[in-house]
Amino acid sequence: MKPFTRRTASTAAPAPPTAGLAAAVAPASVEVTPRMLRVGDGYAATLVVTGYPAEVGPAWLEPLLSWPGRLDLALHIDPLPAPIAAKRLRTQRARFESSRRADTEKGKLADPYVEAAADDAADLAGRLARGAAKLFRVGLYLTVHARTETELLDACAQVKAAAASTLIEVQPATWRHLPGWTTTLPLATDSLQMLRTMDTQALAAAFPLASADLPAPLPGDPATNGGVLYGINPDSSGIVWWDRWAQENHNSVVLARSGAGKSYFVKLDVLRNLYSGVVVSIVDPEDEYLRLADAVGGTVVRLGQPGVKINPLDLPVGDTRPDVLTRRGLFLHTFVAVLLGHQPPPTERAALDRAILAAYRSAGITADPATHHRPAPLLADLATTLRADADPAATQLAARLAPWTEGSFSDLFDAPTSTRPEGHLVVWSLRHLPDELRTVGTLLALDSIWRSVDTPGNRRLAVRRLVVVDEAWLLMRDGEGARFLFTMSKAGRKRNSGLSVITQDVADVLGTDLGMAVVSNAATQILLKQAPQAIDAVGDAFGLTVGERRMLLAARTGHGLLVSGSNRTAFESIGSPSEHALATTKPSELLDLDDPDDPDDDGEDL
């Protein structure tokens, strides 16, 4: 016979699937004291809500959720079955009625608190019987965190004061701070069981659990690793960090009255995007971005200066697509319409189309990409072709174009393009252009920028590009210019580029269909201080609440509202001392800085 072999079974329990995660995220140590916990390098204390107001309004937890500090709020909800709820409510009503009868028999005056509680219980019993309400057992707990013991005591006092502002009474979980801490962790376990019965209406008023800060990514969503600092939240002292490149489109719109700080905010946004490797092009009507260009080694194109020429008939360099000439002809139709201030009549448009093709043929340029390297005709050549046309409409159109081909405004167009700017930052300065040419200058700058964005091949998709149009009302007041800007806002996302539209003339943007379309195609919307005359239009367009409208009317310089879909938060633009020196436009501060009009202080002037 073979002896039996005895085997000893292992009694070690298998490790739970979350053991590795718990070991990674759990604090190194937890020290328990009667008044607080020491969790790792910080301190924590739990407060239990023991008293509630008699009546609550919508978002009655907002004062606690917006407290400017680290606060974990846990709301444990346990529904009561209808039979149990009805039985407990009958018992409670019987107690109230017994107290009232006892006071009456003894000749005492009725207790107003008992009378109010009895009436509330009777009303709740009626709604419960009709199915209009349900009862829940609710526990509300707050865990306050701080770096030191002294800071924790101060933080707890502030939280108590915030709770008292809404008639909520809180008490510390003395000797029970460890169960209180675990109760506020995302474990769905109530270790304190300090519960209060609430009905559906009171509980629903606590939702949504709103916060003044932007929401964090939902569980399962990838964490964003990009974005730039927009500023701080004045309500919660939290950081407002926003990534325009992670939104459904990369466009933004900034609306504010003059002096509200919109240029300051945009300069900070440009600087911080440059840090991230974004290529930026800026249309600058008032030379506000020249110090910034000088600081980062950017390029400045001064339209209107002697020797600076732009030929609107230039073909895109390196673009070999078969429809290049057709698309250039369409742009020239837009260009002429902006020059004239309106769309020419059909007969003149037909004559213009014939003249465009004839002018390119005269220069030896056809639809064949092999001919596109030849020098392009000038605007004066186009006018000569129009005058040679036997159609009276062509002659009339040539006469209407005379100021820009041979008259007072021809200096910008009377020679081949003098520069093709490149670099990580290009600023198109319009300050030296006369007012009559600023709209045209903006269009030509955007056209040059768009040609750099709309290049064939996949290599362009590897570089993010940001196009900033300051004082966009120059284009928005013109129908064809607004249509060109709208096209850029629609097509930029597919080319990994974003458009930033900045304007102080809200009426020009919100008062037209194209302007509203540009705003609608901006996933990032920035509203700074608004004028009383424009607040109704802004509020209706962006769906602002009464409180948000009041905030924008009374906002200080640099304070505003970030709106993106359902997300909205207040913010204050802040910059480091070096950033502030580049972004400020206050005359008192500019006296201590270099003169921005000095050509020797700018970037590469072209």
Side-chain angles (χ1 to χ4, degrees):
M1 297 179 61
K2 294 182 179 180
F4 290 100
T5 302
R6 185 173 183 178
R7 298 180 180 178
T8 303
S10 175
T11 58
T18 59
L21 177 62
V25 302
S29 62
V30 177
E31 181 182 343
V32 182
T33 68
R35 300 175 59 192
M36 66 190 68
L37 295 178
R38 184 172 183 178
V39 183
D41 296 332
Y43 292 81
T46 299
L47 302 176
V48 182
V49 176
T50 58
Y52 296 83
E55 295 183 0
V56 293
W60 54 276
L61 291 180
E62 178 65 20
L64 296 175
L65 293 170
S66 60
W67 178 74
R70 183 183 172 188
L71 174 68
D72 297 333
L73 185 147
L75 186 64
H76 292 265
I77 304 171
D78 184 18
L80 278 176
I84 297 178
K87 181 179 178 181
R88 293 185 179 181
L89 194 56
R90 283 196 301 270
T91 302
Q92 189 69 19
R93 293 183 64 192
R95 291 175 181 171
F96 290 143
E97 185 62 26
S98 176
S99 298
R100 295 166 66 179
R101 291 182 180 180
D103 291 341
T104 301
E105 291 176 357
K106 296 179 181 180
K108 295 182 179 180
L109 295 175
D111 189 340
Y113 294 101
V114 174
E115 295 288 336
D119 293 341
D120 291 341
D123 177 67
L124 180 58
R127 289 190 287 118
L128 190 65
R130 294 191 300 270
K134 294 184 178 180
L135 294 185
F136 302 85
R137 297 286 286 171
V138 178
L140 183 56
Y141 312 99
L142 315 169
T143 296
V144 186
H145 297 265
R147 292 174 297 180
T148 64
E149 184 175 349
T150 303
E151 292 181 2
L152 180 63
L153 295 177
D154 293 339
C156 289
Q158 294 176 15
V159 172
K160 288 182 179 179
S165 67
T166 55
L167 302 180
I168 295 177
E169 183 180 351
V170 296
Q171 298 294 337
T174 306
W175 291 104
R176 302 186 66 189
H177 286 286
L178 181 59
W181 175 55
T182 59
T183 297
T184 57
L185 292 176
L187 303 176
T189 301
D190 185 356
S191 303
L192 293 178
Q193 291 294 314
M194 301 289 289
L195 303 177
R196 172 71 176 264
T197 303
M198 289 189 184
D199 65 337
T200 308
Q201 186 176 1
L203 186 58
F207 293 91
L209 297 178
S211 173
D213 293 314
L214 292 172
L218 295 174
D221 290 349
T224 57
N225 54 8
V228 298
L229 175 67
Y230 272 19
I232 61 172
N233 190 326
D235 297 326
S236 66
S237 299
I239 297 297
V240 180
W241 189 273
W242 188 252
D243 186 4
R244 71 157 69 219
W245 307 102
Q247 310 309 313
E248 57 265 26
N249 64 63
H250 313 321
N251 303 327
S252 67
V253 60
V254 182
L255 302 181
R257 65 183 300 177
S258 178
K262 58 184 183 300
S263 296
Y264 187 95
F265 165 78
V266 173
K267 290 172 193 174
L268 296 182
D269 188 26
V270 167
L271 271 173
R272 291 160 185 172
N273 274 283
L274 287 171
Y275 300 154
S276 305
V278 178
V279 177
V280 182
S281 300
I282 303 175
V283 180
D284 181 13
E286 295 296 336
D287 282 1
E288 294 188 71
Y289 297 83
L290 301 190
R291 293 200 319 277
L292 187 152
D294 176 52
V296 302
T299 302
V300 179
V301 182
R302 295 176 178 270
L303 297 182
Q305 287 284 73
V308 179
K309 309 292 182 180
I310 298 291
N311 182 13
L313 282 79
D314 279 339
L315 295 179
V317 177
D319 193 343
T320 59
R321 287 175 286 186
D323 62 340
V324 170
L325 192 60
T326 301
R327 287 187 286 109
R328 200 63 198 161
L330 295 175
F331 169 75
L332 289 173
H333 279 274
T334 300
F335 173 74
V336 170
V338 172
L339 283 181
L340 301 178
H342 61 87
Q343 188 70 254
T347 55
E348 292 186 6
R349 289 205 303 270
L352 176 62
D353 197 63
R354 294 193 304 268
I356 291 172
L357 297 177
Y360 279 115
R361 283 196 300 268
S362 299
I365 299 175
T366 63
D368 185 3
T371 64
H372 293 175
H373 67 281
R374 296 171 180 171
L378 301 177
L379 188 62
D381 299 328
L382 179 62
T384 301
T385 306
L386 283 170
R387 284 191 291 268
D389 195 320
D391 190 347
T395 306
Q396 183 178 359
L397 182 58
R400 297 174 66 189
L401 292 176
W404 296 277
T405 57
E406 55 190 26
S408 304
F409 304 141
S410 62
D411 289 344
L412 186 62
F413 317 109
D414 60 0
T417 300
S418 59
T419 178
R420 299 186 185 276
E422 294 182 353
H424 59 284
L425 173 64
V426 178
V427 177
W428 293 80
S429 171
L430 309 181
R431 185 173 183 178
H432 301 280
L433 284 175
D435 292 341
E436 293 80 3
L437 285 180
R438 287 209 171 187
T439 301
V440 177
T442 303
L443 180 65
L444 290 176
L446 287 176
D447 173 63
S448 178
I449 295 169
W450 181 249
R451 281 184 284 170
S452 66
V453 172
D454 188 30
T455 54
N458 293 326
R459 210 169 59 176
R460 61 180 169 83
L461 298 176
V463 179
R464 290 174 173 172
R465 297 179 181 271
L466 178 61
V467 182
V468 178
V469 185
D470 204 348
E471 302 299 347
W473 60 271
L474 291 171
L475 264 185
M476 298 303 294
R477 65 186 179 184
D478 182 90
E480 292 301 317
R483 188 171 289 106
F484 186 84
L485 204 62
F486 169 67
T487 302
M488 288 190 66
S489 68
K490 289 282 287 185
R493 180 185 63 83
K494 299 179 181 178
R495 293 159 177 81
N496 203 19
S497 66
L499 175 67
S500 287
V501 176
I502 302 101
T503 184
Q504 65 184 16
D505 198 334
V506 177
D508 282 341
V509 176
L510 302 181
T512 63
D513 293 338
L514 286 174
M516 284 298 299
V518 171
V519 171
S520 300
N521 279 279
T524 303
Q525 299 163 347
I526 306 297
L527 304 176
L528 301 176
K529 184 179 179 66
Q530 300 295 322
Q533 297 81 1
I535 191 62
D536 289 337
V538 173
D540 294 341
F542 294 91
L544 302 181
T545 64
V546 175
E548 291 169 340
R549 299 187 190 205
R550 292 175 179 171
M551 187 269 287
L552 292 179
L553 285 173
R556 299 195 301 270
T557 300
H559 289 242
L561 188 68
L562 166 63
V563 180
S564 180
S566 60
N567 299 325
R568 55 185 65 201
T569 184
F571 73 95
E572 176 188 2
S573 290
I574 57 172
S576 66
S578 57
E579 288 177 327
H580 179 78
L582 298 175
T584 183
T585 55
K586 291 183 178 179
S588 59
E589 297 178 353
L590 292 178
L591 290 176
D592 299 329
L593 303 173
D594 293 335
D595 183 8
D597 293 329
D598 187 354
D600 296 333
D601 291 339
D602 297 332
E604 181 186 348
D605 293 323
L606 299 175

